Amino acid sequence: MTARIGVITFPGTLDDVDAARAVRRADAEAVPLWHGDADLRGVDAVVVPGGFSYGDYLRAGAIARFAPVMGLVIEAAGKGMPVLGICNGFQILCEAGLLPGALVRNSGLHFVCRDQWLRVENTSSAWTTRYEPGAEILVPLKSGEGGYMADRSTLAELEGEGRVVMRYVGGNPNGSLNDIAGVTDARGRVVGLMPHPEHAIDGLTGPTDDGLGMFLSVLDTILGAAPGTGATATEVPA
Amino acid sequence: MARVVVDVMPKPEILDPQGQAVANALPRLGFEGIASVRQGKHFELEVDDSVDDATLAKIAETFLANPVIEDWVIRRVEP
């Protein structure tokens, strides 16, 4: 059985090609999904890639969140389908209410484009089981609105439940609260991450292959799932 | 038809680096006495008379503003 992982393309998406390449590198089938699609084509998981969907008009992710395909993603995520939002995808998942909080303009105002060290804080989410707890990974970061914000109680809940998936180390690049680079939902199935693991899957085209672990992790999640139940060995109870 | 104005502002507790950059530029440009600047968005909607306040509030809350980080105010403006 080969896992089928959907990669969504909105008008203005940039990183769908690399996301699909990362999926294939993990030996899964990459299934292209279009923003206007009315069907998820039987995929087992979905990547919402980075870019500038709808030109970032209104707010980053605010319009993409209402695309027809996102209605299906929200419904499937509710049933436990793993979803990964990277960069603009993270912004879209926050706007869609699949993840708490919001991303705002970098505190330094500049667009930040550099290789960034991250510490993996949660190794039980659907997308991070392949990492050792506390592992430090190096992946590209490229964003202008990457500052993670949430109200005090949401932040306390995220920290208390271990739902901060990755944290910036070696300096906070964008003013994110608690150095948060990525978070997960209550069940550990939906993950949003500002830096780009899909750009770090081999030493030839990226700084490292540290990002590949996220795609291998979700493959384990999907292939380890008991048929028909949607439950997995790595699932975090709600 | 009526004109409706929706103003969207970052919540007070949310850092507004754009507003800060504007505020920091003012003294350099020779304008003194401006203590702070907050930057937001201003929408002008031409709406049919049949559109009620509850609908306008829904538009503001679910689309024009992100309530996690922004506050919004709706005003009906005389034509």
Side-chain angles (χ1 to χ4, degrees):
Chain A
M1 173 184 161
T2 307
R4 288 164 55 82
I5 301 180
V7 178
I8 300 178
T9 301
F10 300 95
T13 295
L14 298 176
D15 300 324
D16 44 346
V17 174
D18 268 20
R21 179 171 171 265
V23 165
R24 289 194 300 272
R25 186 61 59 93
D27 278 332
E29 182 185 348
V31 179
L33 297 173
W34 183 238
H35 65 103
D37 279 356
D39 156 24
L40 287 183
R41 302 175 62 186
V43 297
D44 301 300
V46 163
V47 179
V48 187
F52 297 89
S53 59
Y54 302 92
D56 272 357
Y57 291 173
L58 186 58
R59 288 180 309 281
I63 297 176
R65 167 251 185 282
F66 290 104
V69 75
M70 282 307 298
L72 304 172
V73 169
I74 292 166
E75 187 187 340
K79 295 175 185 162
M81 185 185 72
V83 180
L84 173 64
I86 303 167
C87 193
N88 188 220
F90 186 10
Q91 295 162 338
I92 293 167
L93 296 184
C94 287
E95 284 282 342
L98 286 177
L99 291 171
L103 284 307
V104 301
R105 183 73 52 135
N106 292 348
S107 55
L109 281 173
H110 293 284
F111 191 97
V112 174
C113 184
R114 70 185 196 204
D115 295 335
Q116 174 70 46
W117 284 101
L118 308 174
R119 187 171 58 244
V120 183
E121 302 264 313
N122 172 321
T123 56
S124 60
S125 86
W127 298 89
T128 53
T129 50
R130 285 279 186 123
Y131 296 98
E132 295 291 324
E136 297 198 353
I137 67 172
L138 182 66
V139 301
L141 173 73
K142 44 166 197 167
S143 45
E145 298 184 30
Y148 184 78
M149 300 288 147
D151 63 43
R152 202 175 293 238
S153 65
T154 303
L155 212 56
E157 187 181 314
L158 288 173
E159 294 287 358
E161 295 176 2
R163 288 166 54 194
V164 174
V165 169
M166 297 200 192
R167 232 183 276 274
Y168 299 113
V169 292
N172 184 329
N174 50 30
S176 288
L177 296 176
N178 295 16
D179 300 333
I180 289 173
V183 299
T184 186
D185 69 336
R187 290 190 289 179
R189 310 291 284 186
V190 180
V191 168
L193 187 66
M194 196 35 66
H196 289 266
E198 84 283 16
H199 292 330
I201 61 162
D202 64 43
L204 181 66
T205 59
T208 62
D209 63 359
D210 291 349
L212 190 60
M214 295 197 76
F215 301 90
L216 294 170
S217 295
V218 79
L219 211 62
D220 290 350
T221 302
I222 293 165
L223 300 180
T229 66
T232 78
T234 55
E235 188 170 4
V236 180
Chain B
M1 296 292 277
R3 171 163 294 182
V4 170
V5 169
V6 182
D7 286 315
V8 175
M9 293 297 294
K11 285 179 185 281
E13 67 270 25
I14 298 286
L15 183 70
D16 174 22
Q18 294 180 103
Q20 284 180 354
V22 174
N24 293 340
L26 290 171
R28 286 204 303 276
L29 300 173
F31 299 105
E32 299 297 337
I34 316 293
S36 76
V37 176
R38 303 282 288 172
Q39 180 178 324
K41 298 191 186 93
H42 174 95
F43 299 87
E44 295 181 352
L45 289 68
E46 296 291 335
V47 307
D48 208 85
D49 292 335
S50 62
V51 179
D52 62 12
D53 288 352
T55 304
L56 292 171
K58 193 172 179 195
I59 291 169
E61 184 167 16
T62 60
F63 190 46
L64 299 182
N66 179 344
V68 176
I69 48 171
E70 294 168 328
D71 294 324
W72 46 271
V73 176
I74 299 174
R75 286 178 288 138
R76 284 184 183 268
V77 180
E78 292 305 315

PDB file of all heavy atoms in Angstrom, chain B residues 1-5 44-51 56 75-79:
ATOM      1  N   MET B   1     -29.360  52.315  -1.115  1.00  0.00           N
ATOM      2  CA  MET B   1     -27.958  51.994  -0.829  1.00  0.00           C
ATOM      3  C   MET B   1     -27.452  52.866   0.313  1.00  0.00           C
ATOM      4  O   MET B   1     -27.823  54.031   0.422  1.00  0.00           O
ATOM      5  CB  MET B   1     -27.094  52.260  -2.075  1.00  0.00           C
ATOM      6  CG  MET B   1     -27.427  51.378  -3.269  1.00  0.00           C
ATOM      7  SD  MET B   1     -27.008  49.651  -3.012  1.00  0.00           S
ATOM      8  CE  MET B   1     -25.263  49.661  -3.428  1.00  0.00           C
ATOM      9  N   ALA B   2     -26.634  52.275   1.127  1.00  0.00           N
ATOM     10  CA  ALA B   2     -26.019  53.031   2.221  1.00  0.00           C
ATOM     11  C   ALA B   2     -24.530  52.761   2.207  1.00  0.00           C
ATOM     12  O   ALA B   2     -24.081  51.738   1.691  1.00  0.00           O
ATOM     13  CB  ALA B   2     -26.618  52.604   3.554  1.00  0.00           C
ATOM     14  N   ARG B   3     -23.799  53.688   2.747  1.00  0.00           N
ATOM     15  CA  ARG B   3     -22.362  53.465   2.869  1.00  0.00           C
ATOM     16  C   ARG B   3     -22.068  52.985   4.296  1.00  0.00           C
ATOM     17  O   ARG B   3     -22.525  53.577   5.272  1.00  0.00           O
ATOM     18  CB  ARG B   3     -21.583  54.743   2.575  1.00  0.00           C
ATOM     19  CG  ARG B   3     -20.089  54.604   2.909  1.00  0.00           C
ATOM     20  CD  ARG B   3     -19.255  55.664   2.272  1.00  0.00           C
ATOM     21  NE  ARG B   3     -19.280  55.521   0.822  1.00  0.00           N
ATOM     22  CZ  ARG B   3     -18.585  56.315  -0.007  1.00  0.00           C
ATOM     23  NH1 ARG B   3     -17.839  57.284   0.472  1.00  0.00           N
ATOM     24  NH2 ARG B   3     -18.632  56.127  -1.298  1.00  0.00           N
ATOM     25  N   VAL B   4     -21.321  51.903   4.365  1.00  0.00           N
ATOM     26  CA  VAL B   4     -20.936  51.342   5.661  1.00  0.00           C
ATOM     27  C   VAL B   4     -19.415  51.331   5.738  1.00  0.00           C
ATOM     28  O   VAL B   4     -18.743  50.923   4.785  1.00  0.00           O
ATOM     29  CB  VAL B   4     -21.496  49.911   5.826  1.00  0.00           C
ATOM     30  CG1 VAL B   4     -20.907  49.244   7.058  1.00  0.00           C
ATOM     31  CG2 VAL B   4     -23.011  49.931   5.893  1.00  0.00           C
ATOM     32  N   VAL B   5     -18.904  51.796   6.844  1.00  0.00           N
ATOM     33  CA  VAL B   5     -17.464  51.813   7.049  1.00  0.00           C
ATOM     34  C   VAL B   5     -17.109  50.785   8.118  1.00  0.00           C
ATOM     35  O   VAL B   5     -17.742  50.730   9.176  1.00  0.00           O
ATOM     36  CB  VAL B   5     -16.995  53.217   7.492  1.00  0.00           C
ATOM     37  CG1 VAL B   5     -15.552  53.175   7.965  1.00  0.00           C
ATOM     38  CG2 VAL B   5     -17.156  54.205   6.339  1.00  0.00           C
ATOM     39  N   GLU B  44     -14.690  50.513   3.000  1.00  0.00           N
ATOM     40  CA  GLU B  44     -15.927  51.226   2.685  1.00  0.00           C
ATOM     41  C   GLU B  44     -16.798  50.317   1.828  1.00  0.00           C
ATOM     42  O   GLU B  44     -16.379  49.880   0.758  1.00  0.00           O
ATOM     43  CB  GLU B  44     -15.619  52.534   1.945  1.00  0.00           C
ATOM     44  CG  GLU B  44     -14.845  53.522   2.814  1.00  0.00           C
ATOM     45  CD  GLU B  44     -14.558  54.832   2.108  1.00  0.00           C
ATOM     46  OE1 GLU B  44     -14.828  54.930   0.886  1.00  0.00           O
ATOM     47  OE2 GLU B  44     -14.050  55.747   2.773  1.00  0.00           O
ATOM     48  N   LEU B  45     -17.980  50.004   2.333  1.00  0.00           N
ATOM     49  CA  LEU B  45     -18.890  49.096   1.638  1.00  0.00           C
ATOM     50  C   LEU B  45     -20.133  49.861   1.199  1.00  0.00           C
ATOM     51  O   LEU B  45     -20.715  50.601   1.996  1.00  0.00           O
ATOM     52  CB  LEU B  45     -19.327  47.953   2.572  1.00  0.00           C
ATOM     53  CG  LEU B  45     -18.314  46.873   2.963  1.00  0.00           C
ATOM     54  CD1 LEU B  45     -17.210  47.411   3.846  1.00  0.00           C
ATOM     55  CD2 LEU B  45     -19.022  45.728   3.665  1.00  0.00           C
ATOM     56  N   GLU B  46     -20.521  49.678  -0.055  1.00  0.00           N
ATOM     57  CA  GLU B  46     -21.814  50.186  -0.517  1.00  0.00           C
ATOM     58  C   GLU B  46     -22.806  49.040  -0.361  1.00  0.00           C
ATOM     59  O   GLU B  46     -22.680  48.021  -1.045  1.00  0.00           O
ATOM     60  CB  GLU B  46     -21.731  50.615  -1.988  1.00  0.00           C
ATOM     61  CG  GLU B  46     -20.786  51.771  -2.261  1.00  0.00           C
ATOM     62  CD  GLU B  46     -21.293  53.096  -1.675  1.00  0.00           C
ATOM     63  OE1 GLU B  46     -22.510  53.239  -1.498  1.00  0.00           O
ATOM     64  OE2 GLU B  46     -20.438  53.964  -1.386  1.00  0.00           O
ATOM     65  N   VAL B  47     -23.757  49.185   0.526  1.00  0.00           N
ATOM     66  CA  VAL B  47     -24.638  48.050   0.816  1.00  0.00           C
ATOM     67  C   VAL B  47     -26.097  48.393   0.542  1.00  0.00           C
ATOM     68  O   VAL B  47     -26.535  49.526   0.739  1.00  0.00           O
ATOM     69  CB  VAL B  47     -24.480  47.536   2.267  1.00  0.00           C
ATOM     70  CG1 VAL B  47     -23.031  47.233   2.575  1.00  0.00           C
ATOM     71  CG2 VAL B  47     -25.025  48.525   3.263  1.00  0.00           C
ATOM     72  N   ASP B  48     -26.817  47.383   0.125  1.00  0.00           N
ATOM     73  CA  ASP B  48     -28.244  47.488  -0.104  1.00  0.00           C
ATOM     74  C   ASP B  48     -28.947  47.731   1.238  1.00  0.00           C
ATOM     75  O   ASP B  48     -28.483  47.269   2.277  1.00  0.00           O
ATOM     76  CB  ASP B  48     -28.711  46.157  -0.709  1.00  0.00           C
ATOM     77  CG  ASP B  48     -29.915  46.344  -1.565  1.00  0.00           C
ATOM     78  OD1 ASP B  48     -29.730  46.684  -2.745  1.00  0.00           O
ATOM     79  OD2 ASP B  48     -31.031  46.167  -1.046  1.00  0.00           O
ATOM     80  N   ASP B  49     -30.075  48.425   1.200  1.00  0.00           N
ATOM     81  CA  ASP B  49     -30.795  48.726   2.445  1.00  0.00           C
ATOM     82  C   ASP B  49     -31.294  47.462   3.142  1.00  0.00           C
ATOM     83  O   ASP B  49     -31.579  47.477   4.336  1.00  0.00           O
ATOM     84  CB  ASP B  49     -31.986  49.651   2.146  1.00  0.00           C
ATOM     85  CG  ASP B  49     -31.506  51.037   1.721  1.00  0.00           C
ATOM     86  OD1 ASP B  49     -30.373  51.409   2.102  1.00  0.00           O
ATOM     87  OD2 ASP B  49     -32.243  51.726   0.993  1.00  0.00           O
ATOM     88  N   SER B  50     -31.376  46.373   2.399  1.00  0.00           N
ATOM     89  CA  SER B  50     -31.890  45.136   2.997  1.00  0.00           C
ATOM     90  C   SER B  50     -30.853  44.437   3.884  1.00  0.00           C
ATOM     91  O   SER B  50     -31.179  43.505   4.618  1.00  0.00           O
ATOM     92  CB  SER B  50     -32.324  44.180   1.887  1.00  0.00           C
ATOM     93  OG  SER B  50     -31.204  43.840   1.086  1.00  0.00           O
ATOM     94  N   VAL B  51     -29.596  44.881   3.822  1.00  0.00           N
ATOM     95  CA  VAL B  51     -28.542  44.217   4.609  1.00  0.00           C
ATOM     96  C   VAL B  51     -28.601  44.724   6.047  1.00  0.00           C
ATOM     97  O   VAL B  51     -28.438  45.920   6.303  1.00  0.00           O
ATOM     98  CB  VAL B  51     -27.150  44.501   4.002  1.00  0.00           C
ATOM     99  CG1 VAL B  51     -26.065  43.838   4.839  1.00  0.00           C
ATOM    100  CG2 VAL B  51     -27.088  44.028   2.562  1.00  0.00           C
ATOM    101  N   LEU B  56     -23.847  42.520   8.657  1.00  0.00           N
ATOM    102  CA  LEU B  56     -22.606  43.313   8.584  1.00  0.00           C
ATOM    103  C   LEU B  56     -21.611  42.852   9.648  1.00  0.00           C
ATOM    104  O   LEU B  56     -20.409  42.733   9.397  1.00  0.00           O
ATOM    105  CB  LEU B  56     -22.920  44.800   8.760  1.00  0.00           C
ATOM    106  CG  LEU B  56     -23.701  45.438   7.609  1.00  0.00           C
ATOM    107  CD1 LEU B  56     -24.137  46.850   8.000  1.00  0.00           C
ATOM    108  CD2 LEU B  56     -22.859  45.473   6.338  1.00  0.00           C
ATOM    109  N   ARG B  75     -19.622  51.328  11.151  1.00  0.00           N
ATOM    110  CA  ARG B  75     -20.408  52.572  11.188  1.00  0.00           C
ATOM    111  C   ARG B  75     -21.217  52.682   9.912  1.00  0.00           C
ATOM    112  O   ARG B  75     -20.696  52.447   8.815  1.00  0.00           O
ATOM    113  CB  ARG B  75     -19.476  53.795  11.272  1.00  0.00           C
ATOM    114  CG  ARG B  75     -18.833  54.019  12.623  1.00  0.00           C
ATOM    115  CD  ARG B  75     -17.913  55.221  12.569  1.00  0.00           C
ATOM    116  NE  ARG B  75     -16.698  54.936  11.816  1.00  0.00           N
ATOM    117  CZ  ARG B  75     -16.137  55.762  10.941  1.00  0.00           C
ATOM    118  NH1 ARG B  75     -16.691  56.928  10.677  1.00  0.00           N
ATOM    119  NH2 ARG B  75     -15.029  55.426  10.297  1.00  0.00           N
ATOM    120  N   ARG B  76     -22.490  53.049  10.053  1.00  0.00           N
ATOM    121  CA  ARG B  76     -23.271  53.414   8.866  1.00  0.00           C
ATOM    122  C   ARG B  76     -23.072  54.910   8.656  1.00  0.00           C
ATOM    123  O   ARG B  76     -23.240  55.701   9.577  1.00  0.00           O
ATOM    124  CB  ARG B  76     -24.755  53.107   9.090  1.00  0.00           C
ATOM    125  CG  ARG B  76     -25.085  51.613   8.974  1.00  0.00           C
ATOM    126  CD  ARG B  76     -26.589  51.385   9.106  1.00  0.00           C
ATOM    127  NE  ARG B  76     -26.909  49.966   9.061  1.00  0.00           N
ATOM    128  CZ  ARG B  76     -27.225  49.301   7.944  1.00  0.00           C
ATOM    129  NH1 ARG B  76     -27.263  49.951   6.797  1.00  0.00           N
ATOM    130  NH2 ARG B  76     -27.516  48.025   7.980  1.00  0.00           N
ATOM    131  N   VAL B  77     -22.681  55.279   7.433  1.00  0.00           N
ATOM    132  CA  VAL B  77     -22.356  56.676   7.151  1.00  0.00           C
ATOM    133  C   VAL B  77     -23.476  57.277   6.304  1.00  0.00           C
ATOM    134  O   VAL B  77     -23.965  56.642   5.376  1.00  0.00           O
ATOM    135  CB  VAL B  77     -21.020  56.761   6.376  1.00  0.00           C
ATOM    136  CG1 VAL B  77     -20.672  58.204   6.067  1.00  0.00           C
ATOM    137  CG2 VAL B  77     -19.914  56.104   7.188  1.00  0.00           C
ATOM    138  N   GLU B  78     -23.900  58.496   6.666  1.00  0.00           N
ATOM    139  CA  GLU B  78     -24.944  59.174   5.873  1.00  0.00           C
ATOM    140  C   GLU B  78     -24.422  59.422   4.460  1.00  0.00           C
ATOM    141  O   GLU B  78     -23.267  59.827   4.292  1.00  0.00           O
ATOM    142  CB  GLU B  78     -25.314  60.508   6.536  1.00  0.00           C
ATOM    143  CG  GLU B  78     -26.023  60.356   7.877  1.00  0.00           C
ATOM    144  CD  GLU B  78     -27.272  59.489   7.780  1.00  0.00           C
ATOM    145  OE1 GLU B  78     -28.060  59.676   6.828  1.00  0.00           O
ATOM    146  OE2 GLU B  78     -27.468  58.615   8.652  1.00  0.00           O
ATOM    147  N   PRO B  79     -25.253  59.209   3.437  1.00  0.00           N
ATOM    148  CA  PRO B  79     -24.793  59.417   2.066  1.00  0.00           C
ATOM    149  C   PRO B  79     -24.505  60.907   1.786  1.00  0.00           C
ATOM    150  O   PRO B  79     -25.036  61.759   2.469  1.00  0.00           O
ATOM    151  CB  PRO B  79     -25.945  58.929   1.206  1.00  0.00           C
ATOM    152  CG  PRO B  79     -27.056  58.546   2.097  1.00  0.00           C
ATOM    153  CD  PRO B  79     -26.654  58.762   3.520  1.00  0.00           C
TER     154      PRO B  79
END
